[in-house]
Amino acid sequence: MERLSADSRREKVREAAYKTATTVAAVALVATIALFLVQLATASHASWRAFGLRFLWTTEWNPVTEQFGALPMIVGTLVTGFGALAISTPFALGIAIFLADYASKRVTEPFKYLISLLGGLPSVIFGLWGLIVLVPRIGRLEVWFGTLVHSEALVQAGTTGVGLLSSVVLLALMILPFSSSLILESLLLVPTELKEGSLALGATRWDTIQSIELPFVRKSTVGALVLALGRALGETMAVTMVIGNGMRMPRTLFDPANTLASAIANQFLEATSPLYVSALTELALILFVIAIVINIGARVILRRGVQQR
Amino acid sequence: MRTSRLHRVCLLLAVFLIAAVVAAGCSPSGGGGVKELSGAGATFPYPLYSKMFDVYESVSAVRVNYNGIGSGGGIKALTDKTVDFGASDAFLTDEEEQAMGAPVLHIPTCIGAVVLSYNLDGNPDLKLDSAVIAGIFMGSVRNWNDPAIAGLNPGVTLPDLAVTVVHRSDGSGTTSIFTNYLSMTSPAWKEKVGAGKSVAWPAGIGGKGNDGVAGLVKQNKGSIGYIELVYAIQTGMPYATVLNAAGTFVTPTLATVAAAANVQLPADLRVLIVNSPESTAYPLSAFTWILVYQEQHYADRSLDQARALKNLLTWMLGDGQQVNEGLSYGRLPEAAVTKARALLSSMTYDGTPVR
């Protein structure tokens, strides 16, 4: 009897300890995000005061005259991020559907391993490969296209190969492992009864995929794509190596450009003037807000989708 | 049994976490017999400093930790008083020095140079002057067969090939030297672009670091970029001969780079030696500095620490200079060393000179 109550007391203490520990962890997460926002906002105060909202749509970035506008980097970030997503999504879906529904287990396992290997490669390796292998080929493609449409400007912009297009292609490749493996995992979770039922009713395999499996994994697919997009928007090292780091507004996909993350990584270390540092911090704040907006947007889309069903 | 082990593991983890938090909150305590100094800053002299500090540890038993985190980071660290010295490729502007809160001494340690490296078939030896360099980097000289380049290079066959400009994308002392030179010699550059560690480039593509620029130059036929002399020597890239202020074409070598400092130097040594009037000087040369507070009693520094720092810097101006040329950094001329020694002797602790 006594032993039992001692046990239960210990049980209670332990329960309380676990509860506290997990609560602390959860609160710490929320607090970290909030602190990030607060810190970024305070540190970018000087830039905010000097440029206000103009910071978002002016295109001059001049550390000498201390005129700062973020539009070229915002455009660069969005174009490379969404461009990469647009290119890689069909492939990600294709890979996932093939592995989940068409390939035999003997094929699927090594494929899954390869995908996770690709996903684990450090981005500097992607960057090096991009610079040495991808960029010259994209450059030749750009020059070919420029000659085709008789545009001297396109040929000139395309000669080096570095620029928006190279970054889009490289990022598409980099995020492919994320989106494809996440979609694959959720496709594998579709209950066999559903698939078998559909087939039993006379649906073809493609019918089943289209009207049973894809709707079933819609939510997780959007989640996977948002994660992939997040990686593309925040990627720094590989992008810096192939985007050309131009701080002017890009006019075509062939032009050198820059992204928010890459601009910060390039310039922060040697930035000494307070206003310059503050403007760079505001770039970080913008990137942070873009990430939040995209996440919230994905949630809204998902909720609306659910209601319609 | 299993759960209780899990329990213990959790407890242990919690203890570690708390310990880590507590440790992060405390700063390491300094003082005692000084065995260690720390500095942070410019990446350009990093190889030189690593070697110098290595040698210094063997002769003095004082270990120097240097972090090449960039000049901006070094200045910040010194402002925050978390290091014994900072290092920078550009001297502090009056405004920046004011932000430091106390007088700062600029001690030069070596002379570096920026060279123009290019990628052309047959690696011809090119001669350039500031007008052509400014034209190329402003995007007005667009082809290698432009009469402006050809005029300086009689006898060299220049291809009909577009010029691809490569510049640094990160802020750097190298860019500061390069743009200061162009601002000083080309009114058009001064008006349209100006000088700084980072500028709004009117043309070209950017590479991160010397290796980034060198990589893009190597990869693109017809490209030209500016990199540090040390880096060009180590990687065997071709570089141009440049017309100096005295009207001679000068190839960058350790001797011509050091010659740039043979000018009337101000006592505080905060000086740009680009476009040096000296007849044998390579025009794109510059000092790199170590920054220390003149008054050494700050944070909870001891007199011993101030002494150790002064000894280190004295050594770097003396025996330490022997390291320079082996690593392709220009040696300080005697006049600069004398002035730097005078600056060191003005170091104080509680107002009395450090001895």
Side-chain angles (χ1 to χ4, degrees):
Chain A
M1 191 63 199
E2 219 168 71
R3 175 158 169 67
L4 199 76
S5 80
D7 258 6
S8 81
R9 206 178 312 133
R10 198 181 304 153
E11 203 67 48
K12 246 182 223 157
V13 170
R14 195 193 298 176
E15 199 59 45
Y18 282 140
K19 191 180 168 192
T20 321
T22 48
T23 313
V24 166
V27 169
L29 179 74
V30 177
T32 311
I33 294 174
L35 266 179
F36 260 152
L37 260 178
V38 170
Q39 290 250 288
L40 286 176
T42 9
S44 60
H45 184 69
S47 158
W48 177 252
R49 211 172 34 197
F51 308 112
L53 273 179
R54 194 154 50 94
F55 190 75
L56 295 177
W57 61 74
T58 46
T59 58
E60 190 187 359
W61 185 270
N62 192 334
V64 180
T65 56
E66 302 220 305
Q67 282 302 313
F68 297 110
L71 191 62
M73 280 78 78
I74 297 175
V75 169
T77 304
L78 295 177
V79 168
T80 51
F82 282 98
L85 193 68
I87 293 180
S88 77
T89 302
F91 288 98
L93 278 171
I95 292 170
I97 292 172
F98 170 75
L99 292 179
D101 290 299
Y102 291 99
S104 70
K105 204 164 175 94
R106 247 186 316 171
V107 177
T108 311
E109 284 310 313
F111 250 85
K112 274 166 78 174
Y113 176 70
L114 278 178
I115 290 173
S116 63
L117 192 74
L118 198 62
L121 273 189
S123 57
V124 66
I125 294 179
F126 274 102
L128 265 183
W129 177 84
L131 184 64
I132 295 166
V133 180
L134 185 69
V135 161
R137 283 168 177 74
I138 299 257
R140 280 203 287 280
L141 182 80
E142 289 174 349
V143 169
W144 172 80
F145 182 80
T147 331
L148 195 73
V149 299
H150 298 291
S151 163
E152 185 59 34
L154 284 185
V155 170
Q156 214 161 43
T159 313
T160 57
V162 295
L164 279 176
L165 187 60
S166 291
S167 319
V168 169
V169 175
L170 185 64
L171 280 174
L173 194 75
M174 289 179 72
I175 62 178
L176 190 59
F178 286 88
S179 42
S180 58
S181 65
L182 286 169
I183 297 171
L184 174 62
E185 289 309 323
S186 46
L187 276 177
L188 292 176
L189 289 178
V190 177
T192 326
E193 302 83 47
L194 276 184
K195 289 197 243 178
E196 283 171 352
S198 162
L199 291 170
L201 287 173
T204 62
R205 192 181 262 189
W206 179 244
D207 284 335
T208 310
I209 292 168
Q210 217 180 352
S211 39
I212 304 292
E213 295 187 27
L214 289 183
F216 192 88
V217 300
R218 184 169 52 189
K219 198 164 186 168
S220 42
T221 302
V222 174
L225 295 180
V226 169
L227 269 183
L229 180 63
R231 164 129 205 218
L233 293 176
E235 176 51 47
T236 309
M237 194 62 213
V239 169
T240 293
M241 291 167 88
V242 301
I243 202 167
N245 299 302
M247 299 301 284
R248 278 164 301 146
M249 189 71 184
R251 281 156 304 169
T252 71
L253 270 182
F254 297 179
D255 281 335
N258 218 343
T259 65
L260 293 164
S262 162
I264 297 165
N266 265 301
Q267 300 182 21
F268 197 79
L269 280 187
E270 291 286 341
T272 37
S273 117
L275 187 58
Y276 190 12
V277 172
S278 173
L280 285 168
T281 317
E282 195 170 348
L283 291 187
L285 184 64
I286 293 172
L287 185 57
F288 200 95
V289 170
I290 288 178
I292 291 176
V293 166
I294 284 171
N295 270 292
I296 293 175
R299 255 157 226 280
V300 169
I301 291 170
L302 283 174
R303 193 160 299 157
R304 199 172 292 159
V306 170
Q307 275 164 1
Q308 272 168 7
R309 256 205 304 178
Chain B
M1 229 14 230
R2 253 193 84 90
T3 45
S4 89
R5 191 180 303 158
L6 187 74
H7 194 170
R8 228 172 290 155
V9 170
C10 281
L11 244 162
L12 208 66
L13 271 177
V15 168
F16 271 131
L17 254 170
I18 291 165
V21 169
V22 170
C26 303
S27 56
S29 54
V34 178
K35 287 269 167 280
E36 228 174 63
L37 289 167
S38 67
T43 47
F44 160 66
Y46 181 78
L48 174 68
Y49 291 171
S50 309
K51 175 80 184 172
M52 273 189 175
F53 297 153
D54 219 35
V55 177
Y56 189 65
E57 190 177 354
S58 63
V59 298
S60 72
V62 173
R63 188 186 165 83
V64 187
N65 293 315
Y66 182 73
N67 291 313
I69 56 173
S71 301
I75 292 169
K76 213 167 287 166
L78 191 64
T79 312
D80 296 344
K81 304 184 167 57
T82 54
V83 288
D84 294 296
F85 62 89
S88 176
D89 294 335
F91 58 80
L92 299 181
T93 59
D94 293 338
E95 196 180 76
E96 282 167 338
E97 190 166 347
Q98 223 152 44
M100 304 280 286
V104 169
L105 302 176
H106 289 66
I107 312 296
T109 52
C110 69
I111 303 172
V114 177
V115 301
L116 287 137
S117 193
Y118 45 85
N119 181 345
L120 287 174
D121 279 329
N123 286 340
D125 288 326
L126 283 188
K127 292 191 175 110
L128 300 172
D129 65 8
S130 66
V132 169
I133 299 172
I136 290 174
F137 280 82
M138 282 200 290
S140 57
V141 174
R142 292 168 170 217
N143 198 301
W144 282 104
N145 65 12
D146 191 289
I149 307 179
L152 294 174
N153 293 280
V156 178
T157 7
L158 291 158
D160 175 15
L161 182 66
V163 178
T164 300
V165 169
V166 186
H167 54 75
R168 286 282 286 268
S169 60
D170 49 337
S172 72
T174 313
T175 302
S176 167
I177 297 168
F178 184 67
T179 53
N180 268 300
Y181 166 70
L182 288 180
S183 290
M184 211 175 272
T185 51
S186 154
W189 182 275
K190 186 172 185 181
E191 187 200 326
K192 288 197 186 114
V193 186
K197 286 191 234 176
S198 204
V199 301
W201 292 99
I205 53 177
K208 191 169 191 288
N210 280 296
D211 45 347
V213 172
L216 286 170
V217 169
K218 276 185 193 156
Q219 200 167 323
N220 291 292
K221 195 60 69 193
S223 59
I224 182 166
Y226 61 91
I227 51 178
E228 280 153 17
L229 173 64
V230 186
Y231 195 83
I233 291 177
Q234 282 167 359
T235 53
M237 293 178 70
Y239 42 84
T241 295
V242 181
L243 189 71
N244 72 6
T248 349
F249 281 103
V250 179
T251 309
T253 62
L254 294 177
T256 58
V257 167
N262 287 334
V263 290
Q264 197 54 46
L265 298 168
D268 65 1
L269 292 176
R270 286 166 61 197
V271 62
L272 274 171
I273 52 171
V274 291
N275 204 32
S276 163
E278 175 75 20
S279 65
T280 55
Y282 178 70
L284 283 141
S285 310
F287 285 127
T288 179
W289 294 268
I290 277 187
L291 309 178
V292 293
Y293 283 111
Q294 184 168 34
E295 168 54 50
Q296 284 290 304
H297 193 187
Y298 62 86
D300 43 2
R301 284 163 62 82
S302 64
L303 179 58
D304 283 340
Q305 223 165 338
R307 275 195 194 120
L309 180 61
K310 191 182 173 191
N311 289 341
L312 169 71
L313 296 175
T314 310
W315 180 85
M316 287 173 83
L317 292 171
D319 291 349
Q321 287 293 309
Q322 286 165 12
V323 179
N324 287 23
E325 298 202 329
L327 293 174
S328 312
Y329 290 85
R331 237 184 129 116
L332 294 176
E334 210 40 58
V337 172
T338 312
K339 288 203 159 116
R341 288 220 171 94
L343 283 178
L344 277 186
S345 61
S346 75
M347 255 166 97
T348 57
Y349 189 89
D350 277 341
T352 49
V354 177
R355 282 213 179 78

